Amino acid sequence: IDALPARYDKNKVVNIKQDDQKSLMFDIYMQAYKFDADAIVLNDTNVTNYNTNKFNATATLIKY
């Protein structure tokens, strides 16, 4: 991440994989809730398709 605010207490990077986008976002929000994050920065999202779609996301959780 190139542009995080100058002052934050902690950050945590999470990698989530799910079968659909709604479950993927729910898991990211739950990780943010458990971390008590103030902000979520989505770094990367993609979909792999071999036999079924698999949604992947990398996010940085930020606590100010």
Side-chain angles (χ1 to χ4, degrees):
I1 297 175
D2 295 337
L4 279 178
R7 296 177 188 229
Y8 61 91
D9 291 336
K10 299 181 199 176
N11 70 339
K12 176 181 177 182
V13 176
V14 294
N15 297 298
I16 306 289
K17 293 182 182 178
Q18 276 296 348
D19 294 331
D20 60 76
Q21 288 178 325
K22 288 181 183 179
S23 297
L24 177 80
M25 291 309 296
F26 179 80
D27 285 354
I28 291 172
Y29 291 136
M30 286 306 296
Q31 289 291 324
Y33 175 78
K34 291 176 186 176
F35 185 65
D36 196 24
D38 296 305
I40 300 169
V41 178
L42 285 175
N43 302 334
D44 181 37
T45 59
N46 63 57
V47 178
T48 57
N49 186 356
Y50 296 108
N51 293 328
T52 59
N53 288 342
K54 199 67 159 177
F55 294 85
N56 307 292
T58 302
T60 303
L61 311 177
I62 302 168
K63 184 173 176 77
Y64 293 103

CSV table of all heavy atoms in Angstrom, one decimal:
chain,number,residue,atom,x,y,z
A,1,ILE,N,0.9,-1.2,0.0
A,1,ILE,CA,0.0,0.0,0.0
A,1,ILE,C,0.9,1.2,0.0
A,1,ILE,O,1.7,1.4,0.9
A,1,ILE,CB,-0.9,0.0,1.2
A,1,ILE,CG1,-1.8,-1.2,1.2
A,1,ILE,CG2,-1.7,1.3,1.3
A,1,ILE,CD1,-2.7,-1.4,2.4
A,2,ASP,N,0.7,2.1,-0.9
A,2,ASP,CA,1.5,3.3,-1.1
A,2,ASP,C,1.0,4.5,-0.3
A,2,ASP,O,1.8,5.4,0.0
A,2,ASP,CB,1.6,3.7,-2.6
A,2,ASP,CG,2.4,2.6,-3.3
A,2,ASP,OD1,3.1,1.8,-2.7
A,2,ASP,OD2,2.2,2.5,-4.6
A,3,ALA,N,-0.3,4.5,0.0
A,3,ALA,CA,-0.9,5.8,0.5
A,3,ALA,C,-1.6,5.6,1.8
A,3,ALA,O,-2.7,6.2,1.9
A,3,ALA,CB,-1.7,6.4,-0.6
A,4,LEU,N,-1.1,4.8,2.7
A,4,LEU,CA,-1.8,4.8,4.0
A,4,LEU,C,-1.6,6.1,4.7
A,4,LEU,O,-0.6,6.8,4.6
A,4,LEU,CB,-1.2,3.7,4.9
A,4,LEU,CG,-1.7,2.3,4.6
A,4,LEU,CD1,-0.9,1.3,5.5
A,4,LEU,CD2,-3.2,2.1,4.8
A,5,PRO,N,-2.6,6.5,5.5
A,5,PRO,CA,-2.4,7.7,6.3
A,5,PRO,C,-1.2,7.6,7.2
A,5,PRO,O,-0.8,6.5,7.6
A,5,PRO,CB,-3.7,7.8,7.2
A,5,PRO,CG,-4.7,6.9,6.4
A,5,PRO,CD,-3.9,5.9,5.7
A,6,ALA,N,-0.6,8.8,7.5
A,6,ALA,CA,0.7,8.8,8.2
A,6,ALA,C,0.5,8.2,9.6
A,6,ALA,O,1.5,7.7,10.2
A,6,ALA,CB,1.2,10.2,8.3
A,7,ARG,N,-0.6,8.4,10.3
A,7,ARG,CA,-0.8,8.0,11.6
A,7,ARG,C,-1.8,6.9,11.8
A,7,ARG,O,-3.0,7.2,11.6
A,7,ARG,CB,-1.1,9.2,12.5
A,7,ARG,CG,-0.1,10.2,12.5
A,7,ARG,CD,-0.6,11.4,13.4
A,7,ARG,NE,0.4,12.5,13.2
A,7,ARG,CZ,0.9,13.2,14.3
A,7,ARG,NH1,0.5,12.9,15.5
A,7,ARG,NH2,1.7,14.1,14.1
A,8,TYR,N,-1.4,5.7,12.1
A,8,TYR,CA,-2.3,4.6,12.4
A,8,TYR,C,-1.6,3.8,13.4
A,8,TYR,O,-0.4,3.7,13.5
A,8,TYR,CB,-2.8,3.9,11.2
A,8,TYR,CG,-1.7,3.2,10.4
A,8,TYR,CD1,-1.3,1.9,10.7
A,8,TYR,CD2,-1.0,3.8,9.4
A,8,TYR,CE1,-0.3,1.2,10.0
A,8,TYR,CE2,0.0,3.2,8.7
A,8,TYR,CZ,0.3,1.9,9.0
A,8,TYR,OH,1.3,1.2,8.3
A,9,ASP,N,-2.5,3.1,14.3
A,9,ASP,CA,-1.9,2.3,15.3
A,9,ASP,C,-1.4,0.9,14.8
A,9,ASP,O,-0.3,0.5,15.1
A,9,ASP,CB,-3.0,2.1,16.4
A,9,ASP,CG,-3.2,3.3,17.2
A,9,ASP,OD1,-2.4,4.2,17.2
A,9,ASP,OD2,-4.3,3.4,17.8
A,10,LYS,N,-2.3,0.2,14.1
A,10,LYS,CA,-2.0,-1.1,13.6
A,10,LYS,C,-2.6,-1.3,12.3
A,10,LYS,O,-3.5,-0.7,11.9
A,10,LYS,CB,-2.6,-2.2,14.6
A,10,LYS,CG,-2.2,-2.1,16.0
A,10,LYS,CD,-2.9,-3.3,16.7
A,10,LYS,CE,-2.9,-3.1,18.2
A,10,LYS,NZ,-3.7,-4.1,18.9
A,11,ASN,N,-2.0,-2.3,11.6
A,11,ASN,CA,-2.6,-2.8,10.4
A,11,ASN,C,-2.4,-4.3,10.3
A,11,ASN,O,-1.6,-4.9,10.9
A,11,ASN,CB,-2.1,-2.1,9.1
A,11,ASN,CG,-0.7,-2.5,8.8
A,11,ASN,OD1,0.1,-2.9,9.6
A,11,ASN,ND2,-0.3,-2.2,7.5
A,12,LYS,N,-3.3,-4.9,9.5
A,12,LYS,CA,-3.3,-6.4,9.4
A,12,LYS,C,-3.7,-6.7,8.0
A,12,LYS,O,-4.7,-6.2,7.5
A,12,LYS,CB,-4.3,-7.0,10.4
A,12,LYS,CG,-4.4,-8.5,10.2
A,12,LYS,CD,-5.4,-9.0,11.3
A,12,LYS,CE,-5.6,-10.5,11.1
A,12,LYS,NZ,-6.6,-11.0,12.1
A,13,VAL,N,-3.0,-7.6,7.3
A,13,VAL,CA,-3.3,-8.0,5.9
A,13,VAL,C,-4.0,-9.3,6.0
A,13,VAL,O,-3.5,-10.2,6.7
A,13,VAL,CB,-2.0,-8.1,5.1
A,13,VAL,CG1,-2.4,-8.6,3.7
A,13,VAL,CG2,-1.3,-6.7,5.0
A,14,VAL,N,-5.1,-9.4,5.3
A,14,VAL,CA,-5.9,-10.7,5.3
A,14,VAL,C,-6.1,-11.1,3.8
A,14,VAL,O,-6.2,-10.3,2.9
A,14,VAL,CB,-7.3,-10.5,6.0
A,14,VAL,CG1,-7.1,-10.3,7.4
A,14,VAL,CG2,-8.1,-9.5,5.3
A,15,ASN,N,-6.0,-12.4,3.7
A,15,ASN,CA,-6.3,-13.0,2.4
A,15,ASN,C,-7.5,-13.9,2.5
A,15,ASN,O,-7.5,-14.8,3.4
A,15,ASN,CB,-5.1,-13.9,1.9
A,15,ASN,CG,-3.9,-13.0,1.7
A,15,ASN,OD1,-3.9,-12.1,0.9
A,15,ASN,ND2,-2.8,-13.2,2.5
A,16,ILE,N,-8.5,-13.7,1.7
A,16,ILE,CA,-9.8,-14.4,1.8
A,16,ILE,C,-10.1,-15.1,0.5
A,16,ILE,O,-9.9,-14.5,-0.5
A,16,ILE,CB,-10.9,-13.5,2.2
A,16,ILE,CG1,-10.6,-12.7,3.5
A,16,ILE,CG2,-12.2,-14.3,2.4
A,16,ILE,CD1,-10.6,-13.5,4.8
A,17,LYS,N,-10.6,-16.3,0.6
A,17,LYS,CA,-11.1,-17.0,-0.6
A,17,LYS,C,-12.5,-17.6,-0.3
A,17,LYS,O,-12.7,-18.1,0.7
A,17,LYS,CB,-10.2,-18.2,-1.0
A,17,LYS,CG,-8.8,-17.8,-1.4
A,17,LYS,CD,-8.0,-19.0,-1.8
A,17,LYS,CE,-6.6,-18.5,-2.2
A,17,LYS,NZ,-5.7,-19.6,-2.5
A,18,GLN,N,-13.4,-17.4,-1.3
A,18,GLN,CA,-14.8,-17.8,-1.1
A,18,GLN,C,-15.3,-18.2,-2.5
A,18,GLN,O,-14.8,-17.9,-3.5
A,18,GLN,CB,-15.6,-16.8,-0.5
A,18,GLN,CG,-15.6,-16.7,1.0
A,18,GLN,CD,-16.2,-17.9,1.7
A,18,GLN,OE1,-16.8,-18.8,1.1
A,18,GLN,NE2,-15.9,-18.0,3.0
A,19,ASP,N,-16.5,-18.9,-2.4
A,19,ASP,CA,-17.2,-19.3,-3.6
A,19,ASP,C,-18.0,-18.2,-4.3
A,19,ASP,O,-18.3,-18.3,-5.5
A,19,ASP,CB,-18.1,-20.5,-3.3
A,19,ASP,CG,-17.3,-21.7,-2.9
A,19,ASP,OD1,-16.1,-21.9,-3.4
A,19,ASP,OD2,-17.8,-22.6,-2.2
A,20,ASP,N,-18.3,-17.2,-3.6
A,20,ASP,CA,-19.1,-16.1,-4.2
A,20,ASP,C,-18.7,-14.8,-3.5
A,20,ASP,O,-18.1,-14.7,-2.5
A,20,ASP,CB,-20.6,-16.3,-4.0
A,20,ASP,CG,-21.0,-16.4,-2.6
A,20,ASP,OD1,-21.1,-15.4,-1.9
A,20,ASP,OD2,-21.3,-17.5,-2.1
A,21,GLN,N,-19.0,-13.7,-4.2
A,21,GLN,CA,-18.6,-12.3,-3.8
A,21,GLN,C,-19.2,-11.9,-2.5
A,21,GLN,O,-18.5,-11.3,-1.6
A,21,GLN,CB,-18.9,-11.3,-4.8
A,21,GLN,CG,-18.1,-11.4,-6.1
A,21,GLN,CD,-18.5,-10.4,-7.1
A,21,GLN,OE1,-19.7,-10.1,-7.3
A,21,GLN,NE2,-17.5,-9.9,-7.9
A,22,LYS,N,-20.5,-12.3,-2.2
A,22,LYS,CA,-21.1,-11.9,-1.0
A,22,LYS,C,-20.4,-12.5,0.2
A,22,LYS,O,-20.2,-11.9,1.2
A,22,LYS,CB,-22.6,-12.2,-1.0
A,22,LYS,CG,-23.4,-11.3,-1.9
A,22,LYS,CD,-24.9,-11.7,-1.9
A,22,LYS,CE,-25.6,-10.9,-2.8
A,22,LYS,NZ,-27.1,-11.3,-2.8
A,23,SER,N,-20.1,-13.8,0.1
A,23,SER,CA,-19.4,-14.5,1.2
A,23,SER,C,-18.0,-13.9,1.4
A,23,SER,O,-17.5,-13.8,2.5
A,23,SER,CB,-19.3,-16.0,0.9
A,23,SER,OG,-20.6,-16.6,0.9
A,24,LEU,N,-17.4,-13.6,0.3
A,24,LEU,CA,-16.0,-13.0,0.4
A,24,LEU,C,-16.0,-11.7,1.2
A,24,LEU,O,-15.3,-11.5,2.1
A,24,LEU,CB,-15.5,-12.8,-1.0
A,24,LEU,CG,-14.1,-12.1,-1.2
A,24,LEU,CD1,-13.0,-13.1,-0.9
A,24,LEU,CD2,-14.0,-11.5,-2.5
A,25,MET,N,-17.0,-10.8,0.8
A,25,MET,CA,-17.0,-9.5,1.5
A,25,MET,C,-17.5,-9.7,2.9
A,25,MET,O,-17.0,-9.0,3.8
A,25,MET,CB,-18.0,-8.6,0.7
A,25,MET,CG,-17.5,-8.1,-0.6
A,25,MET,SD,-15.8,-7.4,-0.6
A,25,MET,CE,-16.0,-6.0,0.5
A,26,PHE,N,-18.4,-10.6,3.2
A,26,PHE,CA,-18.8,-10.9,4.6
A,26,PHE,C,-17.6,-11.3,5.4
A,26,PHE,O,-17.4,-10.8,6.5
A,26,PHE,CB,-19.9,-11.9,4.6
A,26,PHE,CG,-20.3,-12.2,6.0
A,26,PHE,CD1,-21.2,-11.4,6.7
A,26,PHE,CD2,-19.8,-13.4,6.7
A,26,PHE,CE1,-21.6,-11.7,8.0
A,26,PHE,CE2,-20.2,-13.7,8.0
A,26,PHE,CZ,-21.1,-12.8,8.6
A,27,ASP,N,-16.8,-12.2,4.9
A,27,ASP,CA,-15.6,-12.6,5.6
A,27,ASP,C,-14.6,-11.5,5.9
A,27,ASP,O,-14.0,-11.4,6.9
A,27,ASP,CB,-14.9,-13.8,4.9
A,27,ASP,CG,-15.6,-15.1,5.0
A,27,ASP,OD1,-16.6,-15.2,5.8
A,27,ASP,OD2,-15.2,-16.1,4.3
A,28,ILE,N,-14.4,-10.6,4.9
A,28,ILE,CA,-13.5,-9.5,5.1
A,28,ILE,C,-14.1,-8.6,6.2
A,28,ILE,O,-13.4,-8.1,7.1
A,28,ILE,CB,-13.4,-8.7,3.8
A,28,ILE,CG1,-12.5,-9.5,2.8
A,28,ILE,CG2,-12.7,-7.3,4.0
A,28,ILE,CD1,-12.4,-8.9,1.4
A,29,TYR,N,-15.4,-8.3,6.1
A,29,TYR,CA,-16.0,-7.5,7.2
A,29,TYR,C,-15.9,-8.1,8.6
A,29,TYR,O,-15.7,-7.4,9.6
A,29,TYR,CB,-17.5,-7.2,6.9
A,29,TYR,CG,-17.7,-6.3,5.7
A,29,TYR,CD1,-18.7,-6.5,4.7
A,29,TYR,CD2,-17.0,-5.1,5.5
A,29,TYR,CE1,-18.9,-5.7,3.7
A,29,TYR,CE2,-17.2,-4.3,4.5
A,29,TYR,CZ,-18.1,-4.6,3.5
A,29,TYR,OH,-18.3,-3.7,2.5
A,30,MET,N,-16.1,-9.4,8.6
A,30,MET,CA,-15.9,-10.1,9.9
A,30,MET,C,-14.5,-10.0,10.5
A,30,MET,O,-14.3,-9.8,11.7
A,30,MET,CB,-16.4,-11.6,9.8
A,30,MET,CG,-17.9,-11.7,9.7
A,30,MET,SD,-18.8,-10.9,11.0
A,30,MET,CE,-18.3,-11.8,12.4
A,31,GLN,N,-13.5,-10.2,9.6
A,31,GLN,CA,-12.1,-10.0,10.0
A,31,GLN,C,-11.9,-8.6,10.5
A,31,GLN,O,-11.2,-8.4,11.5
A,31,GLN,CB,-11.2,-10.3,8.9
A,31,GLN,CG,-11.1,-11.8,8.5
A,31,GLN,CD,-10.5,-12.6,9.5
A,31,GLN,OE1,-9.5,-12.2,10.2
A,31,GLN,NE2,-11.0,-13.9,9.7
A,32,ALA,N,-12.5,-7.6,9.8
A,32,ALA,CA,-12.3,-6.2,10.2
A,32,ALA,C,-13.0,-6.0,11.6
A,32,ALA,O,-12.4,-5.3,12.5
A,32,ALA,CB,-12.9,-5.3,9.2
A,33,TYR,N,-14.1,-6.6,11.8
A,33,TYR,CA,-14.9,-6.5,13.1
A,33,TYR,C,-14.0,-7.1,14.2
A,33,TYR,O,-13.9,-6.5,15.3
A,33,TYR,CB,-16.2,-7.2,13.0
A,33,TYR,CG,-17.0,-7.2,14.3
A,33,TYR,CD1,-17.6,-6.1,14.7
A,33,TYR,CD2,-17.0,-8.4,15.0
A,33,TYR,CE1,-18.3,-6.1,15.9
A,33,TYR,CE2,-17.7,-8.4,16.2
A,33,TYR,CZ,-18.4,-7.3,16.7
A,33,TYR,OH,-19.0,-7.3,17.8
A,34,LYS,N,-13.5,-8.3,14.0
A,34,LYS,CA,-12.7,-8.9,15.0
A,34,LYS,C,-11.4,-8.1,15.3
A,34,LYS,O,-10.9,-8.1,16.5
A,34,LYS,CB,-12.3,-10.3,14.6
A,34,LYS,CG,-13.5,-11.3,14.5
A,34,LYS,CD,-13.1,-12.6,14.0
A,34,LYS,CE,-14.3,-13.5,13.8
A,34,LYS,NZ,-13.9,-14.8,13.2
A,35,PHE,N,-10.9,-7.5,14.3
A,35,PHE,CA,-9.6,-6.7,14.5
A,35,PHE,C,-10.0,-5.3,15.1
A,35,PHE,O,-9.1,-4.6,15.5
A,35,PHE,CB,-8.9,-6.6,13.2
A,35,PHE,CG,-7.6,-5.9,13.2
A,35,PHE,CD1,-6.5,-6.4,13.9
A,35,PHE,CD2,-7.4,-4.7,12.5
A,35,PHE,CE1,-5.3,-5.8,13.9
A,35,PHE,CE2,-6.2,-4.0,12.5
A,35,PHE,CZ,-5.1,-4.6,13.2
A,36,ASP,N,-11.2,-4.9,15.1
A,36,ASP,CA,-11.7,-3.6,15.5
A,36,ASP,C,-11.2,-2.5,14.6
A,36,ASP,O,-10.7,-1.5,15.0
A,36,ASP,CB,-11.4,-3.3,17.0
A,36,ASP,CG,-12.2,-2.2,17.6
A,36,ASP,OD1,-13.3,-1.9,17.0
A,36,ASP,OD2,-11.7,-1.6,18.5
A,37,ALA,N,-11.2,-2.8,13.3
A,37,ALA,CA,-10.6,-1.9,12.3
A,37,ALA,C,-11.5,-0.7,12.1
A,37,ALA,O,-12.7,-0.8,12.2
A,37,ALA,CB,-10.4,-2.7,11.0
A,38,ASP,N,-10.8,0.4,11.7
A,38,ASP,CA,-11.5,1.6,11.4
A,38,ASP,C,-11.7,1.8,9.9
A,38,ASP,O,-12.5,2.6,9.4
A,38,ASP,CB,-10.8,2.8,12.0
A,38,ASP,CG,-10.8,2.8,13.5
A,38,ASP,OD1,-11.9,2.7,14.1
A,38,ASP,OD2,-9.7,2.8,14.1
A,39,ALA,N,-10.8,1.1,9.1
A,39,ALA,CA,-10.9,1.2,7.7
A,39,ALA,C,-10.5,-0.1,7.0
A,39,ALA,O,-9.7,-0.9,7.6
A,39,ALA,CB,-9.9,2.3,7.2
A,40,ILE,N,-11.0,-0.4,5.9
A,40,ILE,CA,-10.6,-1.6,5.1
A,40,ILE,C,-10.1,-1.0,3.7
A,40,ILE,O,-10.8,-0.3,3.0
A,40,ILE,CB,-11.8,-2.5,4.8
A,40,ILE,CG1,-12.4,-3.0,6.1
A,40,ILE,CG2,-11.4,-3.6,3.9
A,40,ILE,CD1,-13.7,-3.7,5.9
A,41,VAL,N,-8.9,-1.5,3.3
A,41,VAL,CA,-8.4,-1.1,2.0
A,41,VAL,C,-8.3,-2.4,1.2
A,41,VAL,O,-7.5,-3.3,1.6
A,41,VAL,CB,-7.0,-0.5,2.1
A,41,VAL,CG1,-6.4,-0.2,0.7
A,41,VAL,CG2,-7.0,0.8,3.0
A,42,LEU,N,-9.1,-2.5,0.1
A,42,LEU,CA,-8.9,-3.7,-0.8
A,42,LEU,C,-7.7,-3.5,-1.6
A,42,LEU,O,-7.6,-2.6,-2.4
A,42,LEU,CB,-10.2,-3.9,-1.6
A,42,LEU,CG,-11.4,-4.4,-0.9
A,42,LEU,CD1,-12.6,-4.4,-1.8
A,42,LEU,CD2,-11.2,-5.8,-0.3
A,43,ASN,N,-6.8,-4.4,-1.5
A,43,ASN,CA,-5.6,-4.4,-2.3
A,43,ASN,C,-5.7,-5.0,-3.6
A,43,ASN,O,-5.2,-4.6,-4.6
A,43,ASN,CB,-4.4,-5.0,-1.5
A,43,ASN,CG,-4.2,-4.4,-0.1
A,43,ASN,OD1,-4.5,-3.2,0.0
A,43,ASN,ND2,-3.7,-5.1,0.8
A,44,ASP,N,-6.3,-6.2,-3.6
A,44,ASP,CA,-6.4,-7.0,-4.9
A,44,ASP,C,-7.6,-7.9,-4.8
A,44,ASP,O,-7.9,-8.5,-3.7
A,44,ASP,CB,-5.1,-7.9,-5.0
A,44,ASP,CG,-5.0,-8.7,-6.2
A,44,ASP,OD1,-5.5,-8.2,-7.3
A,44,ASP,OD2,-4.5,-9.8,-6.1
A,45,THR,N,-8.3,-8.0,-5.9
A,45,THR,CA,-9.4,-9.0,-6.0
A,45,THR,C,-9.2,-9.7,-7.4
A,45,THR,O,-8.8,-9.1,-8.3
A,45,THR,CB,-10.7,-8.4,-5.9
A,45,THR,OG1,-10.9,-7.4,-7.0
A,45,THR,CG2,-11.0,-7.7,-4.6
A,46,ASN,N,-9.6,-11.0,-7.4
A,46,ASN,CA,-9.6,-11.7,-8.6
A,46,ASN,C,-10.5,-12.9,-8.5
A,46,ASN,O,-10.9,-13.3,-7.4
A,46,ASN,CB,-8.2,-12.1,-9.1
A,46,ASN,CG,-7.5,-13.0,-8.1
A,46,ASN,OD1,-8.0,-14.1,-7.8
A,46,ASN,ND2,-6.3,-12.6,-7.6
A,47,VAL,N,-10.8,-13.5,-9.7
A,47,VAL,CA,-11.6,-14.7,-9.8
A,47,VAL,C,-10.8,-15.8,-10.5
A,47,VAL,O,-10.3,-15.5,-11.6
A,47,VAL,CB,-12.9,-14.4,-10.5
A,47,VAL,CG1,-13.8,-15.7,-10.6
A,47,VAL,CG2,-13.7,-13.3,-9.8
A,48,THR,N,-10.7,-16.9,-10.0
A,48,THR,CA,-10.1,-18.0,-10.7
A,48,THR,C,-11.2,-19.0,-11.2
A,48,THR,O,-12.2,-19.1,-10.5
A,48,THR,CB,-9.1,-18.8,-9.8
A,48,THR,OG1,-9.8,-19.3,-8.7
A,48,THR,CG2,-8.0,-18.0,-9.4
A,49,ASN,N,-11.1,-19.5,-12.3
A,49,ASN,CA,-12.1,-20.4,-12.9
A,49,ASN,C,-11.4,-21.6,-13.5
A,49,ASN,O,-11.0,-21.6,-14.6
A,49,ASN,CB,-12.9,-19.6,-13.9
A,49,ASN,CG,-14.1,-20.4,-14.4
A,49,ASN,OD1,-14.2,-21.6,-14.1
A,49,ASN,ND2,-14.8,-19.8,-15.3
A,50,TYR,N,-11.3,-22.7,-12.7
A,50,TYR,CA,-10.9,-24.0,-13.2
A,50,TYR,C,-12.1,-24.8,-13.5
A,50,TYR,O,-12.5,-25.0,-14.7
A,50,TYR,CB,-9.9,-24.6,-12.2
A,50,TYR,CG,-8.7,-23.8,-12.0
A,50,TYR,CD1,-8.4,-23.2,-10.8
A,50,TYR,CD2,-7.7,-23.8,-13.0
A,50,TYR,CE1,-7.3,-22.4,-10.7
A,50,TYR,CE2,-6.6,-23.0,-12.9
A,50,TYR,CZ,-6.3,-22.4,-11.7
A,50,TYR,OH,-5.2,-21.6,-11.5
A,51,ASN,N,-12.7,-25.3,-12.5
A,51,ASN,CA,-14.0,-26.0,-12.7
A,51,ASN,C,-15.2,-25.2,-12.1
A,51,ASN,O,-16.3,-25.2,-12.6
A,51,ASN,CB,-14.0,-27.4,-12.0
A,51,ASN,CG,-13.1,-28.3,-12.7
A,51,ASN,OD1,-12.9,-28.3,-13.9
A,51,ASN,ND2,-12.4,-29.2,-12.0
A,52,THR,N,-14.9,-24.4,-11.1
A,52,THR,CA,-15.9,-23.5,-10.5
A,52,THR,C,-15.2,-22.2,-10.2
A,52,THR,O,-13.9,-22.1,-10.1
A,52,THR,CB,-16.4,-24.1,-9.2
A,52,THR,OG1,-15.4,-24.3,-8.3
A,52,THR,CG2,-17.1,-25.4,-9.4
A,53,ASN,N,-15.9,-21.1,-10.1
A,53,ASN,CA,-15.4,-19.8,-9.7
A,53,ASN,C,-14.9,-19.8,-8.3
A,53,ASN,O,-15.6,-20.3,-7.4
A,53,ASN,CB,-16.4,-18.7,-9.9
A,53,ASN,CG,-16.7,-18.4,-11.4
A,53,ASN,OD1,-15.9,-18.8,-12.3
A,53,ASN,ND2,-17.8,-17.8,-11.7
A,54,LYS,N,-13.8,-19.2,-8.0
A,54,LYS,CA,-13.3,-19.0,-6.7
A,54,LYS,C,-12.9,-17.5,-6.6
A,54,LYS,O,-12.0,-17.1,-7.4
A,54,LYS,CB,-12.1,-19.9,-6.4
A,54,LYS,CG,-11.8,-20.1,-5.0
A,54,LYS,CD,-12.9,-20.9,-4.3
A,54,LYS,CE,-12.4,-21.5,-3.0
A,54,LYS,NZ,-13.4,-22.2,-2.3
A,55,PHE,N,-13.5,-16.8,-5.7
A,55,PHE,CA,-13.2,-15.4,-5.5
A,55,PHE,C,-12.1,-15.2,-4.5
A,55,PHE,O,-12.2,-15.8,-3.4
A,55,PHE,CB,-14.5,-14.6,-5.1
A,55,PHE,CG,-15.5,-14.6,-6.2
A,55,PHE,CD1,-16.4,-15.7,-6.3
A,55,PHE,CD2,-15.6,-13.6,-7.1
A,55,PHE,CE1,-17.3,-15.7,-7.3
A,55,PHE,CE2,-16.6,-13.6,-8.1
A,55,PHE,CZ,-17.4,-14.6,-8.2
A,56,ASN,N,-11.1,-14.4,-4.8
A,56,ASN,CA,-10.0,-14.1,-3.9
A,56,ASN,C,-9.8,-12.6,-3.6
A,56,ASN,O,-10.0,-11.8,-4.5
A,56,ASN,CB,-8.7,-14.6,-4.5
A,56,ASN,CG,-8.8,-16.0,-4.9
A,56,ASN,OD1,-8.9,-16.9,-4.1
A,56,ASN,ND2,-8.7,-16.3,-6.2
A,57,ALA,N,-9.5,-12.3,-2.4
A,57,ALA,CA,-9.2,-10.9,-2.1
A,57,ALA,C,-8.1,-10.7,-1.1
A,57,ALA,O,-8.0,-11.6,-0.2
A,57,ALA,CB,-10.5,-10.2,-1.6
A,58,THR,N,-7.4,-9.7,-1.2
A,58,THR,CA,-6.4,-9.3,-0.2
A,58,THR,C,-6.8,-7.9,0.3
A,58,THR,O,-7.0,-7.0,-0.6
A,58,THR,CB,-4.9,-9.3,-0.8
A,58,THR,OG1,-4.7,-10.6,-1.3
A,58,THR,CG2,-3.9,-8.9,0.3
A,59,ALA,N,-6.9,-7.8,1.6
A,59,ALA,CA,-7.3,-6.5,2.1
A,59,ALA,C,-6.4,-6.1,3.3
A,59,ALA,O,-5.8,-7.0,4.0
A,59,ALA,CB,-8.7,-6.5,2.6
A,60,THR,N,-6.2,-4.8,3.5
A,60,THR,CA,-5.5,-4.3,4.7
A,60,THR,C,-6.5,-3.7,5.6
A,60,THR,O,-7.3,-2.8,5.2
A,60,THR,CB,-4.4,-3.3,4.3
A,60,THR,OG1,-3.5,-3.9,3.3
A,60,THR,CG2,-3.6,-2.8,5.5
A,61,LEU,N,-6.5,-4.2,6.8
A,61,LEU,CA,-7.3,-3.6,7.9
A,61,LEU,C,-6.5,-2.6,8.7
A,61,LEU,O,-5.4,-2.9,9.1
A,61,LEU,CB,-7.8,-4.8,8.8
A,61,LEU,CG,-8.4,-6.0,8.1
A,61,LEU,CD1,-8.8,-7.0,9.1
A,61,LEU,CD2,-9.6,-5.6,7.2
A,62,ILE,N,-7.1,-1.4,8.9
A,62,ILE,CA,-6.4,-0.4,9.6
A,62,ILE,C,-7.1,0.1,10.8
A,62,ILE,O,-8.3,0.3,10.8
A,62,ILE,CB,-6.2,0.8,8.6
A,62,ILE,CG1,-5.5,0.4,7.3
A,62,ILE,CG2,-5.5,2.0,9.3
A,62,ILE,CD1,-5.6,1.4,6.2
A,63,LYS,N,-6.3,0.2,11.9
A,63,LYS,CA,-6.9,0.7,13.2
A,63,LYS,C,-6.2,2.0,13.5
A,63,LYS,O,-4.9,2.0,13.6
A,63,LYS,CB,-6.7,-0.3,14.3
A,63,LYS,CG,-7.3,0.1,15.6
A,63,LYS,CD,-7.1,-1.1,16.5
A,63,LYS,CE,-7.6,-0.7,17.9
A,63,LYS,NZ,-9.1,-0.7,18.0
A,64,TYR,N,-6.9,3.1,13.7
A,64,TYR,CA,-6.4,4.4,14.0
A,64,TYR,C,-6.2,4.6,15.5
A,64,TYR,O,-6.9,4.1,16.2
A,64,TYR,CB,-7.2,5.5,13.4
A,64,TYR,CG,-7.2,5.6,11.9
A,64,TYR,CD1,-8.3,5.1,11.2
A,64,TYR,CD2,-6.2,6.0,11.2
A,64,TYR,CE1,-8.3,5.1,9.8
A,64,TYR,CE2,-6.2,6.1,9.8
A,64,TYR,CZ,-7.3,5.6,9.1
A,64,TYR,OH,-7.3,5.6,7.8
